[in-house]
Amino acid sequence: MGSEKDKILMKSDGPIIVGAGPSGIAVAACLKEQGIPSLVLERSDCIASLWQYKTYDRLKLHLPKQFCELPLFGYPKSFPKYPSKKQFVSYMEAYANHFDIKPKFNQSVSGAEFDSKDGVWKVCTQDSVYVSRWLVVATGENAEAVVPEIQGIERFEGVVRHTSEYKSGCEFREQRVLVVGCGNSGMEVSLDLCRYNASPFMVVRNSVHVLPREMFGMTTFGIAMALLKWLPLRVVDRLILFMANLTLGNTEKLGLRRPKTGPLELKNATGKTPVLDTGALSLIKSGNIKVVEQGVREITRNGAKFMDGQQIAFDSIILATGYKSNVPFWLKGSDFFTEHGMPKTPFPNGWKGENGLFTVGFTRRGLLGTTCDALKIANEVTRQWRPVKCDSRHEFRSN
């Protein structure tokens, strides 16, 4: 964790929460409701920084708002079924204000480790060491962009951008754009590019489940949740796929092969989210979005060569290759997480480790999973709560 010399030592009566995204703020709110203070550390200068800084302008919640609420405080009734990026951020800010949650911003955690001698967690940032009996890891599944190594990409003369840096298709007007990735981001970026008369070529490297966002006047997710109350998961998967094929047709004819595992089972097992179609599929059918079923062999100075030997010129490249956890880079001395930064124990039991370690936002079940774990963490800390006889605002030099 580096030297602690000359860093300010800050003792916290309540848990230290690393991350001021939806998950971290939710835990702080649940603790506040129980009368327990917390200290939220955030590397950026705002809450929900991923939403504010690293998402495209046209983004909306993929699921209806009732499935995306944080605990104890709902959306305004005036919000639409699928709130926009701007509306979601305003909800997050209202949520933090309602519970009077004030994170310490611009605190980049470089290391956190349990001190077995003193029985506390020590969390190091660039200028401070924070100490508490409890540590809540709330940096989530999407902390860092995944940028794949593609041969030759360094010599490409056009723009190369990860979706975390993409805002709108305005910059790519009337360009030929290679979109690497066919998840929700790849589909929506391709759709957005078409609105600016760009020509997206979407690389489909793997199989993918594409589902309609709504079926027969009801949300697909809502139908699935209702059916799961009565039927086994695999039966629900078969029913959802049957209805999706009726609504969308056979997506394999468009170059979008479905995985052998059903969408819900695959999501639970691997975290891979099915694509909820918001209009891209019709543009694939019309040819406005071109599906490239071959993987990229290498990037050239002005385009790409594919595995089947064909070569296509492109003006720009967008990497819709997702995100990953960054926990292995800063959490030390704990074997609770895998090398990929996910809890080794699957949902619903992956929220609690040893020595006062908790995790939230790693369930692969979105904000529903966050709510579930935030409430569990608050209840467990409440059970263990013993007021620490120290002033959490006290500061002194560790040397």
Side-chain angles (χ1 to χ4, degrees), residues 13-286:
D13 287 354
I16 295 170
I17 301 171
V18 181
S23 296
I25 297 298
V27 173
C30 292
L31 289 167
K32 182 67 84 60
E33 193 74 359
Q34 301 274 17
I36 297 175
S38 62
L39 176 63
V40 183
L41 303 178
E42 168 57 42
R43 64 181 175 180
S44 187
D45 61 357
C46 63
I47 63 170
S49 61
L50 179 66
W51 277 84
Q52 298 212 48
Y53 294 145
K54 297 188 177 183
T55 53
Y56 37 93
D57 294 342
R58 74 179 304 273
L59 178 65
K60 293 184 178 181
L61 292 181
H62 291 120
L63 302 180
K65 62 183 178 182
Q66 66 265 31
F67 297 112
C68 300
E69 285 186 342
L70 297 182
L72 310 173
F73 188 82
Y75 287 97
K77 292 182 179 179
S78 60
F79 274 27
K81 183 188 292 187
Y82 301 100
S84 67
K85 165 185 172 177
K86 185 176 180 180
Q87 288 169 325
F88 182 75
V89 170
S90 72
Y91 166 65
M92 284 293 304
E93 291 173 340
Y95 189 91
N97 288 335
H98 178 79
F99 292 100
D100 195 29
I101 299 166
K102 297 176 180 177
K104 288 184 71 70
F105 294 117
N106 301 306
Q107 290 292 292
S108 183
V109 172
S110 57
E113 192 165 9
F114 185 71
D115 184 331
S116 56
K117 180 181 178 182
D118 294 333
V120 295
W121 286 91
K122 291 184 177 179
V123 181
C124 285
T125 67
Q126 70 274 19
D127 54 22
S128 301
V129 178
Y130 300 91
V131 178
S132 172
R133 290 171 57 194
W134 303 278
L135 174 65
V136 180
V137 178
T139 46
E141 306 162 8
N142 302 314
E144 305 291 344
V146 173
V147 179
E149 293 183 6
I150 304 176
Q151 183 178 342
I153 199 165
E154 71 283 350
R155 63 175 180 260
F156 182 68
E157 294 181 351
V159 171
V160 178
R161 192 151 294 166
H162 189 272
T163 48
S164 60
E165 301 172 315
Y166 177 94
K167 294 304 175 186
S168 85
C170 179
E171 179 184 355
F172 305 94
R173 191 183 299 273
E174 298 184 357
Q175 290 189 14
R176 185 180 288 216
V177 183
L178 178 65
V179 179
V180 181
C182 62
N184 279 298
S185 294
M187 289 280 191
E188 291 207 4
V189 164
S190 295
L191 175 62
D192 190 53
L193 287 167
C194 286
R195 293 179 174 175
Y196 291 89
N197 294 320
S199 299
F201 287 66
M202 186 173 64
V203 176
V204 181
R205 297 172 296 171
N206 302 306
S207 56
V208 59
H209 279 301
V210 181
L211 304 175
R213 188 162 68 169
E214 298 190 353
M215 296 189 290
F216 314 116
M218 296 175 285
T219 68
T220 299
F221 189 78
I223 292 172
M225 292 299 99
L227 290 174
L228 283 172
K229 293 178 180 178
W230 306 99
L231 299 171
L233 183 143
R234 289 186 177 180
V235 174
V236 174
D237 266 341
R238 287 197 290 270
L239 288 172
I240 291 295
L241 287 176
F242 175 75
M243 290 186 285
N245 287 334
L246 287 178
T247 305
L248 301 177
N250 185 355
T251 59
E252 295 200 13
K253 293 181 179 179
L254 303 173
L256 302 170
R257 295 176 294 106
R258 289 197 182 279
K260 293 181 180 179
T261 307
L264 299 179
E265 184 179 0
L266 189 66
K267 171 67 174 171
N268 289 350
T270 69
K272 187 175 181 180
T273 304
V275 172
L276 294 176
D277 181 49
T278 58
L281 209 61
S282 66
L283 293 179
I284 292 173
K285 291 176 180 177
S286 68

Side-chain angles (χ1 to χ4, degrees), residues 365-390:
R365 284 163 175 77
L367 293 179
L368 280 176
T370 286
T371 293
C372 180
D373 284 355
L375 291 167
K376 288 178 182 177
I377 292 169
N379 288 336
E380 178 63 17
V381 173
T382 300
R383 188 184 68 79
Q384 299 178 17
W385 177 248
R386 297 289 184 276
V388 181
K389 301 299 183 182
C390 71

Side-chain angles (χ1 to χ4, degrees), residues 339-376:
E339 61 181 322
H340 301 297
M342 298 295 290
K344 292 179 180 178
T345 307
F347 182 84
N349 300 311
W351 60 278
K352 181 184 177 184
E354 296 181 342
N355 302 317
L357 176 67
F358 299 99
T359 75
V360 61
F362 295 88
T363 64
R364 292 172 168 158
R365 284 163 175 77
L367 293 179
L368 280 176
T370 286
T371 293
C372 180
D373 284 355
L375 291 167
K376 288 178 182 177

Side-chain angles (χ1 to χ4, degrees), residues 149-153 155 178 180 203 205 292-300 303-312 314:
E149 293 183 6
I150 304 176
Q151 183 178 342
I153 199 165
R155 63 175 180 260
L178 178 65
V180 181
V203 176
R205 297 172 296 171
V292 183
E293 296 181 64
Q294 297 292 325
V296 177
R297 175 176 291 170
E298 67 173 308
I299 301 298
T300 64
K305 291 181 180 178
F306 296 90
M307 293 300 182
D308 61 356
Q310 71 170 317
Q311 185 168 341
I312 303 175
F314 295 105

